[in-house]
Amino acid sequence: IEQTILNQPRAAAPFFSGKIDPEAPFFYELAISSAVEKINQFTPGLRTQCLRFIFSELSRVSAHLKTIA
């Protein structure tokens, strides 16, 4: 997976990260975004952090419900 993303243009990384696991693409997109922010020494605002937390929890719950169903 890492080699596939490394061989693509940087702008395509979020696209490929969302295709890793179609059931829970938010986690991989969040990982890519966090890595880019860390590399660029950028800290997202409090509102962004709260929204990311809420969406990640909703995505996690959704994945669990899909497993049960």
Side-chain angles (χ1 to χ4, degrees):
I1 295 170
E2 294 166 354
Q3 289 300 320
T4 302
I5 292 175
L6 286 175
N7 294 331
Q8 302 299 323
R10 289 187 178 155
F15 172 76
F16 283 104
S17 67
K19 301 294 181 187
I20 295 171
D21 183 8
E23 296 296 322
F26 182 77
F27 294 116
Y28 298 101
E29 293 166 1
L30 179 61
I32 292 288
S33 298
S34 297
V36 169
E37 289 166 357
K38 190 170 189 176
I39 289 170
N40 292 322
Q41 298 176 347
F42 175 76
T43 305
L46 180 61
R47 181 172 186 251
T48 303
Q49 292 175 2
C50 290
L51 288 173
R52 285 179 178 174
F53 176 76
I54 291 169
F55 283 124
S56 64
E57 288 300 310
L58 288 174
S59 182
R60 185 180 64 82
V61 168
S62 173
H64 285 292
L65 290 175
K66 288 177 186 175
T67 302
I68 293 171

